[in-house]
Amino acid sequence: MARVDKKGILHGPVDNILYREYRGMQIAQIKPGKVKQSIASKEASLEFGLAASTAANIRALFIPGYKANDGGMANRLTALTLKCIKTASHKRRGERDIHDGDPDTFSGFQFNKNSLLEDCLRIKPQLTSTEEGKVIVQVPAFTSKDLRAPAADHYIIRFLAISFNFKTSMASYLSSKEIKINIGANFEGAEIEIIELLPPGRLVLLGMFIHAYKYDHYDGYTRINNKTWSPGAIIGGWQAPPQEELKATDLREAEKAIVGDVEIHKMPYSGLEILKKFQDLWVRQDKAIQSKVKEKPPIPDIGEELPKGDFRMKK
């Protein structure tokens, strides 16, 4: 309900017009009407929410690796996750999730665009995955000149492999391997086995990060990564084919039976609820369509026979 102030200026709604004051002047605006969304736009909105929830959990699990990120990282990862889901074009929205997409979509994603991984360490590790499900990283040799980093006592190159099971909202730290580089030292190269066996039915992402450490007399070695310098990227992604699993009431124990005795986390993933909303949307849509369908009147039977014989048109 609108009201008039001491200056005689109207504030509030009157019918579909909203009155307010701006620098002592009376302003009148037409209130925006409700926008009726189509089914397609509602589905697109739900799938975006699915991607956002998925990306949020991926970010949270990789925090031990990237330490600090640029301001736009969250939005970039959400957009990339949505792109990955959409690669499953053989399925309609609401029937697909991240497990149906192409995991290689994530390869090359940078957690901090202020310090790109390839700019800070001028080498390119080679990934190999065997038919048995083993993942190996070949790290080429490099000198101290190839490492562009702030002054520190030593550096750690960390490979972090994480398994995601969004069907049950469980995630696991499969592997964490490190290479220590002392200040001014060179690296001769190495072949590192990251994963012995890719767990079936899980999305596995491998991140590579560089951490710098300085020694303090009181605090010991402290990681000095910040928003300006904290290189890290996803360098590989895999989705092993699912296999039949035993049903269990304890999801953590069920996950442990697949991934082994590793650190397991329950994810605050809302994607399962979002997928249920698709079903509710389709049910309402079907009911709306059925209510609009009217039965056509039956075609009456013609009891009388048509006249027999020839007939002519008058000229």
Side-chain angles (χ1 to χ4, degrees):
M1 182 176 179
R3 61 179 179 83
V4 180
D5 64 15
K6 295 180 180 180
K7 299 178 182 180
I9 295 178
L10 197 62
H11 297 263
V14 177
D15 292 330
N16 67 330
I17 300 177
L18 182 65
Y19 293 91
R20 63 184 180 89
E21 177 191 6
Y22 178 71
R23 294 183 178 179
M25 297 183 293
Q26 178 75 75
I27 303 294
Q29 293 178 312
I30 297 177
K31 290 193 296 184
K34 292 183 178 180
V35 179
K36 189 176 181 180
Q37 284 186 303
S38 65
I39 294 296
S41 63
K42 290 179 181 179
E43 288 182 349
S45 178
L46 286 173
E47 187 163 69
F48 179 82
L50 179 70
S53 180
T54 304
N57 283 281
I58 293 175
R59 291 198 312 271
L61 269 297
F62 270 114
I63 284 177
Y66 63 77
K67 178 63 177 180
N69 64 87
D70 63 90
M73 187 271 284
N75 291 334
R76 290 188 288 107
L77 185 56
T78 297
L80 188 65
T81 303
L82 182 60
K83 180 181 178 181
C84 179
I85 294 173
K86 287 183 175 181
T87 59
S89 56
H90 60 287
K91 289 188 175 182
R92 63 182 293 194
R93 283 183 297 219
E95 295 178 346
R96 62 191 181 191
D97 63 9
I98 196 67
H99 291 289
D100 300 302
D102 180 6
D104 197 49
T105 305
F106 290 99
S107 296
F109 177 80
Q110 300 284 337
F111 287 99
N112 193 329
K113 297 191 77 172
N114 297 327
S115 51
L116 301 180
L117 181 62
E118 57 266 27
D119 292 341
C120 297
L121 183 60
R122 292 181 294 182
I123 60 168
K124 188 174 182 181
Q126 300 296 320
L127 291 177
T128 303
S129 56
T130 66
E131 294 182 357
E132 295 78 17
K134 184 181 294 186
V135 176
I136 298 171
V137 176
Q138 182 72 45
V139 183
F142 61 88
T143 67
S144 58
K145 294 181 180 180
D146 294 316
L147 179 60
R148 297 182 175 181
D153 293 298
H154 71 267
Y155 306 92
I156 295 292
I157 299 174
R158 177 172 287 118
F159 295 94
L160 186 60
I162 305 177
S163 162
F164 298 90
N165 183 1
F166 287 99
K167 303 295 184 183
T168 58
S169 302
M170 304 300 290
S172 310
Y173 286 105
L174 294 181
S175 175
S176 179
K177 300 294 177 70
E178 298 179 354
I179 300 173
K180 183 178 180 181
I181 307 295
N182 291 320
I183 185 70
N186 300 330
F187 180 67
E188 297 180 353
E191 183 178 281
I192 306 172
E193 181 180 299
I194 303 295
I195 302 173
E196 185 177 353
L197 179 66
L198 286 170
R202 272 68 177 168
L203 169 68
V204 177
L205 298 178
L206 175 61
M208 178 179 172
F209 309 91
I210 306 176
H211 301 154
Y213 291 85
K214 266 191 173 182
Y215 182 78
D216 181 88
H217 179 72
Y218 296 99
D219 299 326
Y221 285 103
T222 304
R223 187 163 53 173
I224 61 173
N225 292 48
N226 53 45
K227 288 186 177 182
T228 303
W229 188 91
S230 191
I234 296 176
I235 63 173
W238 300 268
Q239 176 68 55
Q243 68 179 23
E244 187 175 353
E245 299 178 18
L246 296 176
K247 293 183 179 181
T249 55
D250 190 330
L251 295 178
R252 190 177 295 272
E253 288 299 319
E255 194 70 15
K256 184 177 180 180
I258 300 298
V259 300
D261 190 14
V262 296
E263 185 179 343
I264 300 175
H265 291 262
K266 174 71 175 177
M267 295 184 289
Y269 175 61
S270 60
L272 300 177
E273 289 77 14
I274 293 175
L275 291 174
K276 289 179 182 178
K277 289 182 180 180
F278 275 98
Q279 301 297 327
D280 297 337
L281 178 64
W282 295 334
V283 169
R284 292 197 301 269
Q285 180 189 19
D286 292 341
K287 288 181 178 179
I289 292 175
Q290 291 173 7
S291 65
K292 292 181 180 180
V293 174
K294 297 181 179 179
E295 293 185 2
K296 295 182 179 180
I299 300 175
D301 294 331
I302 301 177
E304 299 180 359
E305 293 184 1
L306 295 175
K308 297 179 180 180
D310 299 332
F311 63 92
R312 297 179 180 179
M313 302 293 289
K314 292 182 179 182
K315 296 180 179 180

